[in-house]
C-alpha cells in the first residue's frame, strides 16, 4: 500500500492505495453562501468551497503550478543543488499540492450536489495521473539523489521522497522491458473492475490468472521471487513470503480452532431437525446466528446500545484518551461547519495550550448501507512553517444505515468499535511532530503497518476499566456487571467467525500472490475456507471475485498485514494492561515514542522503543 506508484495499476498512488482511509476536501452546501467550510485556523484557511464547474478548472491550475515549480528544481545545475533548494523545495511543492487536492476525497463522498461529487471524483483521477507523471520523472529522481542532507530528519525526508521514484530511477533498458507488462496489468485490472461493476464473476476468474501472470512478470524483472515478496519488501518487513506464511499460520491456528468449535456446536443444533446433516454451510451462519448467540452465552446488540448514548459517549471518549495520552481533546463551538451534524474538535497540549491538531467528527446516514462504516480523511498534515507549528486537520465520518441522520441517539457496540478504530487513524495523524508534512501525514505512511494504531485503540474498548468509564445510559444508569463481562469476553465479536474470516482472507491472499504459478482459485478458496473456518463454502469464491477490496485494490498481496497488525496491536496493549490502562506516564510514553515520531521513524522501531524490546510477532524457523 504505500508509494510505488508505478507498480500495480496504471493509476497509482500514494494517497489512493492506502486502505480506503484518507484525505481531503473542499466545497459548499449552499449555492448562496460561499464560505470556506473547514476553517479552523483563520490564518491558514482551508478553502473548501466549490461551485459546479470549479473543481475541474482549479485542478488544472494546481497541476500547472506544481509542474512549473518542479521544472524550476530540475533546471538547477547539480553543483548548485542544496538540501533547501532541492529536497525541501520539492517537499514544499508536493505538500502544497496535497493541501489543495486532499480535499477532493471528502467532497467526493460528502458533497450533496451530485455534479460536484462527480467532478471531485474525476479530479482525484486527474490528480493521481499527474502524480504518476511526477514520479516517472527521471530528472526529479536525479535531482533528489544528488543532494545528501546533513540533518537526520532531512535524510529521512529525502529517502521517503526517493522511494516514490523507484521506477524512474531504474536503468532505461529495464524500464523498457517493464513497459509492456505494466500496460497489460493496468488494462487487465481495469477490465476486472468493469466486470465487477457488471457482476461478471466468470470473466474475472479468467482475468485473475492473467493478472497474477502480469504481476509475476513485473516483480521478477525487479528481482523478487513473487508479488507477495515484493509487497513484503515494500512494507518494510525484513522477511519473505515463507516466513510470513509461517507467522500467519501460528496466529491463525488457535483462531481457526475456535471457529471449528463454533461450527461443531451449530452442526449439533442443526442435527436436531436434520439428523443427516454432515456440515454447516457458509450461508447458514446468519440463519443460525440466534442459536450461536445462545450457544456461546453472548448478548444481543439491542440490549447494549442504550448504554452508549451518542453525545455523552463522545465526551467520555475524549476525556479518557485525553487523560491517557496527556493531551486535551475538546469541542469547538461557533466555527463554520459543513453540516450541522459535524463537530470540530481541537487537540491541545494541556501544559502549553499549544494546538496539536484539529478534527471534524460527523455521523451521517446512508440508507443503502448494510452495516455502519467509518472513514478518516487526512485533510492537512501538521508541520513547521516559519518557525511556527501548523496543526494537522482530519475528519472522521461514521456512516450508519439509518434512514435519517437524526434517527438514532445511541451507538451500537460495532459503531463504537469503528469509532475507536478511526480515532487511531486520526490520533497518529494529529500527534506526529516531524518538521515536514510528508513525514507527519498518515496519508504518506508507506508501510503496511498503518492499521496498528487503529487496532491498538480498539483494544481499549474491550478493557473493563475503560468500558466502565465509557458506558452508561443517558439518565446515568451504569452498565450491569454481567453485560460488561459478556462484552469483554466476546471481545466485541458476535462470533468467532467474524475474526476467522479475516484470517482466512489473509491466508488466501498470500497463497494467491506468493507462488509463481496460477492456482485454481475456486478450489483454493473452498479448501482453505473449510480448513480454516470449519464451515463449508458454497458460492463464497465467486462472491469474492466481485469484492473490490480484495484482488485488485492496493491491499492485494498485503491483505495479511491486517492480521499481523492486529498481533502487534495486542503486543502494545499488553504493556497498557501491565502498567494499568489509565496510567498516564505509560500513555505519555506511548505518545512520545509511538505517535509523535510517526512517519519519521519506522513502525517497528517505534514499537521497540516503546516496549523496550522487540514486538516479537514475526516468528519463523528460517530467516531470509
Ligand atoms: Zn483502518
Amino acid at each position: 500500500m504505500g508509494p510505488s506508484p508505478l507498480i500495480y495499476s496504471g493509476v497509482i498512488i500514494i494517497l489512493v492505495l492506502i486502505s480506503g482511509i484518507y484525505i481531503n476536501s473542499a466545497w459548499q452546501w449552499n449555492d448562496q453562501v460561499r464560505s470556506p467550510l473547514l476553517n479552523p485556523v483563520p490564518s491558514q484557511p482551508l478553502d473548501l468551497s466549490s461551485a459546479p464547474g470549479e473543481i475541474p478548472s482549479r485542478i488544472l491550475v494546481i497541476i500547472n503550478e506544481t509542474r512549473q515549480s518542479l521544472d524550476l528544481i530540475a533546471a538547477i545545475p547539480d553543483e548548485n543543488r542544496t538540501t533547501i533548494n532541492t529536497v525541501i523545495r520539492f517537499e514544499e511543492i508536493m505538500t502544497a499540492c496535497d493541501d489543495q487536492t486532499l480535499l477532493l476525497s471528502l467532497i467526493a463522498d460528502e458533497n450533496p450536489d451530485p455534479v460536484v461529487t462527480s467532478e471531485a471524483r474525476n479530479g482525484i483521477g486527474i490528480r493521481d495521473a499527474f502524480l504518476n507523471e511526477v514520479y516517472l520523472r527521471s530528472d526529479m529522481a536525479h535531482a533528489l539523489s544528488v543532494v545528501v542532507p546533513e540533518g537526520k530528519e532531512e535524510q529521512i525526508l529525502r529517502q521517503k521522497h526517493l522511494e516514490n521514484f523507484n521506477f524512474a530511477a531504474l536503468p532505461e533498458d529495464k524500464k523498457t522491458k517493464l513497459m509492456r507488462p505494466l500496460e497489460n496489468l493496468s488494462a487487465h485490472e481495469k477490465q476486472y473492475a468493469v466486470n465487477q461493476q457488471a457482476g461478471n464473476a466468470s470473466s474475472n476468474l479468467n482475468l485473475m490468472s492473467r493478472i497474477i501472470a502480469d504481476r509475476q512478470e513485473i516483480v521478477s524483472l525487479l528481482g523478487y521471487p513473487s508479488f507477495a515478496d515484493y509487497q513484503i519488501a515494500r512494507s518494510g518487513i525484513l522477511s519473505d513470503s515463507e516466513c510470513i506464511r509461517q507467522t500467519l499460520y501460528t496466529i491463525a491456528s488457535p483462531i481457526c480452532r475456535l471457529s471449528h468449535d463454533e461450527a461443531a456446536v451449530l452442526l449439533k443444533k442443526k442435527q436436531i431437525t436434520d439428523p443427516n446433516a454432515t456440515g454447516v454451510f457458509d450461508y447458514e451462519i446468519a440463519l443460525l446466528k440466534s442459536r450461536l448467540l445462545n450457544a456461546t452465552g453472548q448478548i444481543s446488540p439491542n440490549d447494549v446500545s442504550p448504554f452508549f448514548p451518542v453525545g455523552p459517549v463522545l465526551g467520555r471518549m475524549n476525556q479518557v484518551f485525553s487523560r491517557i495520552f496527556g493531551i486535551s481533546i475538546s469541542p469547538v463551538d461557533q466555527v463554520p461547519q459543513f453540516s450541522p451534524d459535524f463537530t470540530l474538535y481541537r487537540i491541545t497540549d494541556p501544559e502549553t495550550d499549544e494546538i496539536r491538531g484539529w478534527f471534524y467528527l460527523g455521523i451521517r446516514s446512508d440508507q443503502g448501507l448494510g452495516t455502519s462504516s467509518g472513514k478518516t480523511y487526512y485533510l492537512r498534515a501538521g508541520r513547521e512553517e516559519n518557525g511556527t507549528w501548523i496543526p494537522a486537520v482530519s475528519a472522521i465520518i461514521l456512516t450508519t444505515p439509518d434512514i435519517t441522520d437524526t434517527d438514532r441517539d445511541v451507538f451500537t457496540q460495532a459503531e463504537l468499535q469503528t469509532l475507536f478504530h478511526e480515532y487511531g487513524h486520526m490520533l497518529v495523524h494529529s500527534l506526529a511532530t516531524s518538521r515536514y508534512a510528508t513525514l507527519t501525514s498518515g496519508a504518506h505512511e508507506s508501510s503496511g503497518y498503518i492499521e496498528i494504531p487503529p487496532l491498538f485503540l480498539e483494544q481499549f474498548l474491550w478493557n473493563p476499566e475503560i468500558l466502565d468509564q465509557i458506558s452508561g445510559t443517558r439518565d446515568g444508569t451504569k452498565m450491569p456487571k454481567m453485560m460488561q463481562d459478556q462484552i469483554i469476553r466476546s471481545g466485541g465479536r458476535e462470533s468467532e467467525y467474524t475474526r476467522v474470516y479475516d484470517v482466512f482472507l489473509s491466508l488466501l491472499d498470500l497463497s494467491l500472490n506468493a507462488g509463481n504459478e496460477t492456482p485454481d482459485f475456486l478450489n483454493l478458496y473452498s479448501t482453505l475456507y473449510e480448513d480454516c473456518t470449519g464451515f463449508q463454502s458454497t458460492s463464497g469464491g465467486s462472491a469474492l471475485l466481485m469484492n473490490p477490496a480484495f484482488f485488485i485494490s492496493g491491499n492485494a498481496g498485503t491483505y495479511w498485514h491486517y492480521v499481523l497488525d492486529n498481533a502487534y496491536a495486542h503486543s502494545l496493549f499488553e504493556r497498557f494492561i501491565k502498567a494499568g490502562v489509565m496510567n498516564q506516564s505509560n500513555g505519555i510514553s506511548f505518545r512520545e515514542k509511538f505517535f509523535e515520531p510517526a512517519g519519521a521513524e519506522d513502525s517497528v522501531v517505534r514499537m521497540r522503543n516503546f516496549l523496550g524490546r522487540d514486538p516479537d510477532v514475526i516468528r519463523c524457523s528460517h530467516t531470509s
Side-chain angles (χ1 to χ4, degrees):
M1 313 207 295
S4 163
L6 313 163
I7 301 306
Y8 6 56
S9 36
V11 197
I12 328 184
I13 290 328
I14 318 213
L15 304 170
V16 178
L17 292 182
I18 301 176
S19 98
I21 305 276
Y22 15 94
I23 321 299
N24 306 295
S25 60
W27 88 89
Q28 66 170 109
W29 286 85
N30 178 321
D31 294 52
Q32 271 81 52
V33 187
R34 304 269 327 275
S35 66
L37 293 154
L38 286 180
N39 186 15
V41 193
S43 60
Q44 294 283 326
L46 280 169
D47 183 9
L48 296 183
S49 57
S50 178
E54 207 175 310
I55 291 174
S57 52
R58 198 199 286 175
I59 195 100
L60 292 181
V61 171
I62 296 165
I63 286 175
N64 276 332
E65 281 175 358
T66 308
R67 194 185 284 125
Q68 283 167 19
S69 307
L70 294 177
D71 288 345
L72 291 176
I73 297 185
I76 299 171
D78 279 354
E79 62 272 23
N80 294 346
R81 288 202 184 284
T82 63
T83 301
I84 291 175
N85 73 17
T86 299
V87 179
I88 295 177
R89 184 68 192 128
F90 180 78
E91 157 72 13
E92 287 167 353
I93 294 164
M94 297 315 287
T95 296
C97 180
D98 272 4
D99 282 355
Q100 298 173 81
T101 62
L102 281 179
L103 314 167
L104 294 172
S105 299
L106 190 52
I107 300 173
D109 286 352
E110 298 295 319
N111 194 294
D113 183 343
V115 175
V116 174
T117 50
S118 117
E119 286 176 354
R121 244 172 253 126
N122 287 335
I124 293 170
I126 295 168
R127 187 261 324 264
D128 290 351
F130 170 67
L131 290 179
N132 259 342
E133 173 199 311
V134 171
Y135 294 116
L136 282 169
R137 287 181 67 155
S138 39
D139 58 351
M140 269 301 126
H142 171 78
L144 289 166
S145 66
V146 169
V147 191
V148 182
E150 277 179 21
K152 191 188 168 209
E153 227 169 349
E154 287 72 25
Q155 282 172 19
I156 296 166
L157 180 70
R158 168 183 172 267
Q159 190 51 39
K160 198 109 178 172
H161 284 309
L162 268 178
E163 278 166 15
N164 294 327
F165 287 94
N166 279 346
F167 186 83
L170 288 173
E172 286 307 319
D173 61 323
K174 203 160 231 183
K175 263 196 253 184
T176 314
K177 277 191 197 145
L178 278 163
M179 264 336 178
R180 171 62 64 82
L182 280 172
E183 277 164 21
N184 288 345
L185 177 62
S186 173
H188 291 148
E189 289 194 340
K190 259 180 210 145
Q191 186 57 46
Y192 194 97
V194 168
N195 292 341
Q196 281 180 334
Q197 294 274 321
N200 193 341
S202 62
S203 294
N204 273 357
L205 189 59
N206 294 327
L207 266 179
M208 185 178 250
S209 49
R210 301 177 74 169
I211 292 172
I212 288 175
D214 295 337
R215 286 175 181 162
Q216 183 58 33
E217 191 179 347
I218 293 163
V219 299
S220 64
L221 279 165
L222 294 170
Y224 295 93
S226 74
F227 183 63
D229 282 288
Y230 166 78
Q231 292 287 56
I232 289 164
R234 280 166 26 78
S235 106
I237 295 181
L238 299 173
S239 183
D240 58 25
S241 56
E242 175 52 26
C243 181
I244 295 294
R245 199 185 61 80
Q246 287 184 27
T247 303
L248 273 184
Y249 271 95
T250 311
I251 298 171
S253 354
I255 301 172
C256 292
R257 215 173 301 129
L258 287 172
S259 182
H260 274 265
D261 292 349
E262 264 183 8
V265 170
L266 292 183
L267 179 61
K268 278 218 179 88
K269 298 243 172 199
K270 192 176 160 184
Q271 283 166 340
I272 297 171
T273 46
D274 177 9
N276 298 323
T278 54
V280 188
F281 294 100
D282 46 10
Y283 60 82
E284 292 177 301
I285 292 164
L287 268 173
L288 295 171
K289 204 161 166 185
S290 59
R291 294 180 181 176
L292 181 65
L293 294 175
N294 293 338
T296 54
Q298 292 175 19
I299 39 169
S300 155
N302 294 339
D303 300 333
V304 179
S305 284
F307 295 95
F308 298 136
V310 171
V313 158
L314 288 172
R316 294 170 200 153
M317 251 179 95
N318 287 333
Q319 259 174 22
V320 162
F321 288 126
S322 291
R323 253 174 58 202
I324 293 175
F325 298 121
I327 50 178
S328 165
I329 306 175
S330 52
V332 183
D333 298 324
Q334 298 174 335
V335 178
Q337 302 289 299
F338 46 93
S339 151
D341 302 312
F342 283 72
T343 306
L344 175 66
Y345 291 87
R346 176 172 47 206
I347 304 175
T348 51
D349 180 330
E351 274 164 33
T352 61
D353 244 8
E354 191 193 350
I355 293 165
R356 305 298 329 164
W358 305 91
F359 70 98
Y360 289 86
L361 179 63
I363 300 167
R364 51 92 143 171
S365 66
D366 180 350
Q367 228 186 314
L369 215 64
T371 56
S372 305
S373 72
K375 208 166 169 184
T376 301
Y377 300 74
Y378 298 146
L379 304 173
R380 182 179 68 204
R383 73 241 183 205
E384 247 174 56
E385 222 167 81
N386 307 321
T388 50
W389 182 256
I390 311 290
V393 185
S394 46
I396 294 174
I397 292 176
L398 183 74
T399 311
T400 72
D402 297 352
I403 297 165
T404 70
D405 289 329
T406 50
D407 260 11
R408 210 138 39 95
D409 61 354
V410 293
F411 287 123
T412 65
Q413 194 177 321
E415 283 161 1
L416 200 52
Q417 183 172 358
T418 302
L419 201 56
F420 272 60
H421 181 102
E422 301 308 328
Y423 258 57
H425 284 301
M426 180 276 290
L427 283 176
V428 75
H429 180 69
S430 302
L431 297 177
T433 55
S434 164
R435 194 176 302 152
Y436 302 105
T438 298
L439 302 185
T440 61
S441 172
H444 289 277
E445 184 72 272
S446 62
S447 73
Y449 297 102
I450 47 172
E451 292 300 320
I452 294 176
L455 292 168
F456 164 73
L457 263 265
E458 279 186 36
Q459 304 291 313
F460 283 87
L461 187 53
W462 313 120
N463 176 273
E465 214 177 321
I466 304 289
L467 185 60
D468 194 53
Q469 293 190 47
I470 299 279
S471 62
T473 63
R474 220 167 264 284
D475 62 19
T477 310
K478 297 299 288 177
M479 181 183 274
K481 180 85 174 57
M482 214 175 74
M483 187 182 278
Q484 267 192 29
D485 289 349
Q486 281 178 318
I487 287 181
I488 285 159
R489 241 199 332 268
S490 74
R493 295 181 297 277
E494 283 177 359
S495 67
E496 292 305 329
Y497 181 79
T498 48
R499 189 160 67 130
V500 80
Y501 192 71
D502 271 342
V503 169
F504 154 71
L505 284 183
S506 300
L507 294 169
L508 181 65
D509 172 60
L510 197 64
S511 302
L512 276 179
N513 293 295
N516 46 17
E517 56 197 82
T518 313
D520 171 355
F521 175 71
L522 293 180
N523 196 21
L524 176 69
Y525 182 100
S526 53
T527 315
L528 205 52
Y529 182 86
E530 290 174 30
D531 251 22
C532 186
T533 66
F535 292 89
Q536 287 174 22
S537 145
T538 47
S539 61
S542 313
L544 198 55
L545 290 167
M546 295 291 101
N547 183 335
F550 188 66
F551 184 64
I552 54 162
S553 76
N555 296 330
T558 60
Y559 207 97
W560 43 270
H561 226 303
Y562 198 84
V563 171
L564 223 57
D565 286 1
N566 204 21
Y568 282 117
H570 274 274
S571 181
L572 292 171
F573 194 67
E574 262 168 35
R575 196 178 136 184
F576 276 76
I577 294 177
K578 275 202 193 110
V581 74
M582 293 297 295
N583 180 327
Q584 198 184 54
S585 64
N586 183 55
I588 288 176
S589 162
F590 187 81
R591 191 193 77 207
E592 290 174 347
K593 290 175 175 152
F594 189 83
F595 282 140
E596 292 181 358
E601 200 100 72
D602 278 355
S603 298
V604 173
V605 174
R606 281 147 52 210
M607 288 191 278
R608 194 180 296 138
N609 289 346
F610 170 68
L611 294 171
R613 59 170 173 84
D614 209 68
D616 195 26
V617 163
I618 298 197
R619 294 178 213 194
C620 48
S621 49
H622 84 286
T623 41
S624 56

